[in-house]
Amino acid sequence: MEANNSPTPPVPQGPLNNNDKTPTPKFNIYWIYGLIILTLIGFATFSTNRIKTTEPISEKQFTSIYLQNNWVKKIEIIDKESANVFLQADSIRTSARLKAILTAKKIEPSKNGYCFSFEINDNATFLKNIDEITKANPTNTSVDIYPGKSSGLLPSLYSILPFLLVIGLFVLMMRKMGGGPGGGGPGGIFNIGKSKAQLFEKGGTKVNITFAEVAGLDEAKVEVMEIVDFLKHPKKYTALGGKIPRGCLLVGPPGTGKTLLAKAMAGEAQVPFFSMSGSDFVEMFVGVGASRVRDLFKQAREKSPCIIFIDEIDAIGRARGKNAMASNDERENTLNQMLVEMDGFSGDSGIIVLAATNRPDVLDQALLRPGRFDRQISIDIPDLSGREDIFKVHLKGIKTSNNLDIHKLALQTPGFAGADIANICNEAALIAARSGKTEVTMQDFNDAVDRVIGGLEKKNKIISPDEKKVIAYHEAGHAVSGWFLEHAYPLVKVTIVPRGDAALGYAQYLPKEKYLTIKEEIEDRIAMALGGRAVEEMIFGKISTGALSDLTSVTKMAYSLVSVYGMNDKIGNISFYDPQSEGSFTKPYSEETGKMIDDEVRKLIEVAYIRVKKLLMDKLDAVKIIANELLEKEVLYKDDLTRLIGPRPFEGDDTNVTNITPEPIPVA
Ligand code: ADP
Ligand code: ZN
């Protein structure tokens, strides 16, 4: 059974949602840069800078010719190193010799008249020479001396100005990226390549969460406990030649306690815990993600044994190169670095990487290979008793009245994740406090549930009682039809607890471990997938959109039976399977054949639908029993079905079940 999402188109997850993240424009900083540049330009314009000439004039030439002839109006001595010489306008007009020299030296008049400059060999001698000449032969030359660094600094400032600007801009961007105005914090300029991992360890912020605080999730806890043991006693396992897993993927919808479980794991193992989100790795600069990964693992190696937890790993772990146009090299680099690091440490190095995601299907296969995240722990939305346990955990710190009925609370909150329940408990306490009560009553909790439901309804997560009934019958239809169809897969469990994706409920089957499928199996599977809708039609006289994913899988199966596996009499032993042409619109068969295929598929599905409807009509009592039990318990396992409607008639199946390797498949 699948959620109908059509009325509410998904909200675009664009820049809109990131509004609060965009830093406020830092005009002040830009202004400062502007001012600095302007000041420098101003200095440059009015400063006494060296005047370049194409043909240099030596100090000796200057004193013996220019000064002697009284052609010089002004000398500026800069920094005891060079002299700027400004010539008398009169001399240029009157002296033919000077004119000739100036032309020869290609000295052109500037806005300060004719001028040039030269290096001074020794300042003291130079000054003495000037003094002697002007005394012996009185001239009206003025000598200005500019000591110190002020003017000498400017040219060097000029040469480093571009670098300053580049560095300045860089700093600016770093600070923007780092997010903090301080710039020196964990995200600051010098830490750009550092991981932003939060570290919890003894001494610092200690992880003191234990498994006791993680309610439900019993199977997950067992698996995690095993990993804790790996961390604590690696020798025990490696001594026998076993390889300790390096990574473990926690798969489940948001708020179901993945982070909590990872933290509890660190708490139980008493090891440091690095926590980071996948999206923290990726920045707009190439190489940053990879270097953060390196840094994270480096820190982890120093602290080992330890646990690294990466939330939302799909942010970096999406399959590479699927979408060539919008490929994100930076993300790929980050992912590659992660793979390299995970391959790099040996199993007994005491580092275990946990990652969380609710989209395992989009992950790059390379991440799931042995030696990486080869273990998967699935964490589902809690069922009734799970919710009860979670309530108990979160009620511990709350002063409640004695008449609080936790079971009833759990009943009222189908589909709620652990985080939602934590939220309810908190809301209830707040509501009670607002009305000045000394304890939190059932009424406060009911109000809190209503309030939280209000929020969740907007997210399309809440199921009304009527809908719940339809879902229960729909899933019962799958379960019962599968139970009595010889070639259908054996059932593992059936539930009306929604999964993280659109599925509102599902029945899980264990595929048989074999490679060949006979025609009857496909036909029975089609019938079973139609069982949900068939029951809806029989019981409620109307059908819902809940069968969408059933129908897509039915269509797929039917088409492959007819046109890929050559199992249809009319079409014959032909396979139009062409892996290369996937997604293209050219079909390797004629219009007529195409129509024939369509007709045969239609017929096949129709026959299966009639067959399953008849079957379910015969077993209507079983359907009702299962549906009612589902409404009460939310989850039923194979044993429950045996208890309720008797053993499955085709017991041969069960021999296969003992040696399970295939993943159970859900039928929504
Ligand atoms: P996820 O990482 O799966 O999104 P979190 O671990 O961050 O979810 O869960 C958020 C909060 O919800 C937790 O801090 C805890 O208070 C509460 N919570 C979730 N699952 C459970 C659980 N199984 N038992 C107790 N509390 C839970
Ligand atoms: Zn279904």
Side-chain angles (χ1 to χ4, degrees):
M1 170 68 73
E2 185 158 329
N4 175 17
N5 284 326
S6 46
T8 42
V11 185
Q13 298 280 318
L16 253 180
N17 296 357
N18 285 332
N19 261 348
D20 48 345
K21 274 190 184 168
T22 38
T24 44
K26 292 183 176 138
F27 282 119
N28 43 352
I29 287 185
Y30 288 116
W31 277 114
I32 290 169
Y33 277 106
L35 271 178
I36 291 174
I37 295 168
L38 277 180
T39 324
L40 286 175
I41 291 174
F43 261 117
T45 325
F46 300 107
S47 75
T48 48
N49 220 350
R50 265 197 71 181
I51 299 150
K52 298 230 166 63
T53 48
T54 36
E55 286 245 353
I57 292 165
S58 72
E59 182 184 330
K60 189 134 189 299
Q61 279 174 329
F62 169 74
T63 36
S64 59
I65 305 171
Y66 289 76
L67 206 58
Q68 286 280 11
N69 288 306
N70 198 11
W71 292 342
V72 180
K73 187 173 101 194
K74 190 168 84 169
I75 310 168
E76 290 174 350
I77 299 172
I78 298 158
D79 206 16
K80 297 183 181 173
E81 278 172 357
S82 64
N84 286 343
V85 174
F86 300 86
L87 301 180
Q88 303 263 17
D90 284 352
S91 337
I92 296 161
R93 247 180 282 123
T94 51
S95 166
R97 188 175 169 210
L98 178 57
K99 250 187 212 161
I101 296 175
L102 288 178
T103 334
K105 300 260 182 202
K106 292 189 185 117
I107 296 174
E108 303 272 311
S110 73
K111 69 171 192 285
N112 294 323
Y114 284 88
C115 49
F116 57 87
S117 74
F118 56 88
E119 301 280 330
I120 303 167
N121 292 329
D122 178 66
N123 189 45
T125 358
F126 182 58
L127 285 177
K128 213 175 91 203
N129 288 344
I130 295 175
D131 205 38
E132 276 170 11
I133 293 169
T134 43
K135 255 186 206 144
N137 173 17
T139 63
N140 46 4
T141 304
S142 73
V143 180
D144 297 336
I145 298 176
Y146 294 86
K149 292 277 169 211
S150 66
S151 50
L153 189 66
L154 270 173
S156 52
L157 250 185
Y158 255 141
S159 55
I160 59 167
L161 185 65
F163 295 101
L164 281 182
L165 280 177
V166 169
I167 291 171
L169 276 175
F170 191 68
V171 170
L172 205 71
M173 287 172 109
M174 291 295 137
R175 287 172 63 143
K176 270 183 130 178
M177 285 172 38
I189 169 174
F190 299 115
N191 294 324
I192 182 77
K194 294 256 165 64
S195 76
K196 294 189 198 164
Q198 251 183 304
L199 171 64
F200 302 88
E201 63 175 331
K202 281 178 260 172
T205 338
K206 200 170 171 182
V207 199
N208 39 22
I209 293 173
T210 60
F211 282 147
E213 278 156 75
V214 187
L217 307 181
D218 291 329
E219 291 154 51
K221 269 196 246 175
V222 170
E223 290 205 46
V224 165
M225 223 101 82
E226 198 183 75
I227 297 176
V228 169
D229 203 44
F230 287 145
L231 265 181
K232 279 180 159 169
H233 316 285
K235 290 275 155 14
K236 190 165 105 193
Y237 298 89
T238 47
L240 296 176
K243 283 210 179 70
I244 291 174
R246 294 171 205 179
C248 177
L249 201 60
L250 303 173
V251 179
T256 44
K258 297 183 291 296
T259 316
L260 190 70
L261 187 68
K263 268 192 192 165
M265 189 169 154
E268 290 284 332
Q270 283 297 309
V271 296
F273 178 76
F274 291 89
S275 171
M276 196 161 167
S277 171
S279 51
D280 288 346
F281 287 101
V282 187
E283 295 276 7
M284 64 176 158
F285 277 136
V286 173
V288 170
S291 98
R292 283 189 180 157
V293 172
R294 259 194 305 275
D295 185 65
L296 175 64
F297 278 83
K298 191 173 136 245
Q299 286 185 43
R301 270 191 292 272
E302 283 161 10
K303 298 265 184 205
S304 88
C306 67
I307 291 172
I308 297 177
F309 177 68
I310 301 169
D311 206 357
E312 299 167 37
I313 189 152
D314 32 309
I316 42 173
R318 263 166 206 272
R320 287 168 291 187
K322 249 191 189 159
N323 185 351
M325 289 298 283
S327 90
N328 181 343
D329 284 345
E330 170 59 2
R331 197 174 46 73
E332 282 184 19
N333 288 342
T334 311
L335 174 59
N336 285 337
Q337 188 61 38
M338 174 89 60
L339 297 176
V340 166
E341 293 287 349
M342 288 194 73
D343 288 341
F345 60 83
S346 60
D348 58 357
S349 66
I351 302 175
I352 294 221
V353 189
L354 291 178
T357 179
N358 56 349
R359 300 289 316 274
D361 48 314
V362 302
L363 289 185
D364 197 297
Q365 282 305 308
L367 267 177
L368 307 176
R369 256 184 236 137
R372 291 159 185 173
F373 296 101
D374 45 359
R375 288 204 171 202
Q376 281 200 19
I377 298 179
S378 83
I379 293 180
D380 286 327
I381 299 263
D383 60 10
L384 188 66
S385 71
R387 293 199 298 271
E388 235 179 285
D389 291 343
I390 297 174
F391 264 114
K392 280 178 195 152
V393 166
H394 289 281
L395 287 175
K396 262 187 200 136
I398 295 176
K399 258 204 223 157
T400 54
S401 61
N402 293 330
N403 69 346
L404 196 73
D405 186 345
I406 296 179
H407 182 71
K408 214 166 140 198
L409 282 176
L411 273 175
Q412 283 174 19
T413 49
F416 280 50
D420 303 326
I421 293 174
N423 197 0
I424 288 178
C425 295
N426 192 44
E427 275 294 329
L430 293 182
I431 291 171
R434 200 169 306 144
S435 44
K437 292 183 194 162
T438 50
E439 53 181 25
V440 191
T441 63
M442 192 67 190
Q443 187 52 46
D444 300 322
F445 275 96
N446 289 338
D447 293 348
V449 170
D450 288 345
R451 180 168 296 184
V452 173
I453 284 181
L456 292 176
E457 257 166 4
K458 289 194 195 116
K459 293 189 212 155
N460 218 347
K461 261 170 89 178
I462 291 306
I463 304 148
S464 74
D466 283 349
E467 283 173 329
K468 201 171 160 184
K469 201 169 158 198
V470 175
I471 298 165
Y473 270 94
H474 178 107
E475 299 307 332
H478 285 308
V480 171
S481 56
W483 199 253
F484 294 108
L485 284 166
E486 183 172 358
H487 299 286
Y489 293 145
L491 180 94
V492 179
K493 77 171 184 188
V494 52
T495 170
I496 54 169
V497 179
R499 250 181 344 178
D501 50 24
L504 297 174
Y506 60 96
Q508 212 173 34
Y509 296 87
L510 207 56
K512 289 172 210 168
E513 194 182 355
K514 58 178 199 167
Y515 296 101
L516 296 175
T517 307
I518 55 171
K519 189 181 168 194
E520 284 74 18
E521 283 173 0
I522 303 184
E523 284 173 348
D524 275 5
R525 258 149 59 197
I526 293 176
M528 188 189 81
L530 290 168
R533 168 163 281 206
V535 166
E536 281 185 57
E537 198 192 329
M538 279 154 39
I539 302 284
F540 304 101
K542 54 192 173 194
I543 48 178
S544 75
T545 54
L548 174 63
S549 83
D550 293 341
L551 296 187
T552 21
S553 78
V554 163
T555 313
K556 228 189 248 166
M557 284 190 280
Y559 265 102
S560 49
L561 189 148
V562 173
S563 66
V564 175
Y565 298 122
M567 286 174 173
N568 179 276
D569 294 337
K570 209 155 166 201
I571 305 293
N573 294 333
I574 295 180
S575 175
F576 296 110
Y577 179 59
D578 179 6
Q580 244 115 58
S581 77
E582 218 173 303
S584 79
F585 293 101
T586 51
K587 297 232 159 71
Y589 42 76
S590 65
E591 288 265 311
E592 290 110 276
T593 316
K595 189 164 181 318
M596 213 150 73
I597 292 176
D598 291 345
D599 286 347
E600 287 301 302
V601 165
R602 210 172 285 273
K603 219 190 299 173
L604 182 74
I605 296 177
E606 217 171 274
V607 168
Y609 191 60
I610 291 168
R611 188 158 66 99
V612 77
K613 242 170 52 179
K614 186 176 173 306
L615 171 83
L616 288 169
M617 204 60 96
D618 290 346
K619 308 284 180 190
L620 202 56
D621 288 340
V623 172
K624 283 179 180 163
I625 292 171
I626 302 289
N628 285 324
E629 191 81 358
L630 266 179
L631 280 170
E632 201 168 304
K633 296 257 175 69
E634 295 187 1
V635 188
L636 296 178
Y637 294 90
K638 192 176 176 196
D639 292 346
D640 298 313
L641 260 76
T642 312
R643 175 170 54 82
L644 292 167
I645 58 175
R648 187 161 184 238
F650 321 99
E651 272 313 289
D653 288 337
D654 289 29
T655 46
N656 291 333
V657 184
T658 47
N659 195 0
I660 314 161
T661 39
E663 276 285 296
I665 47 160
V667 173

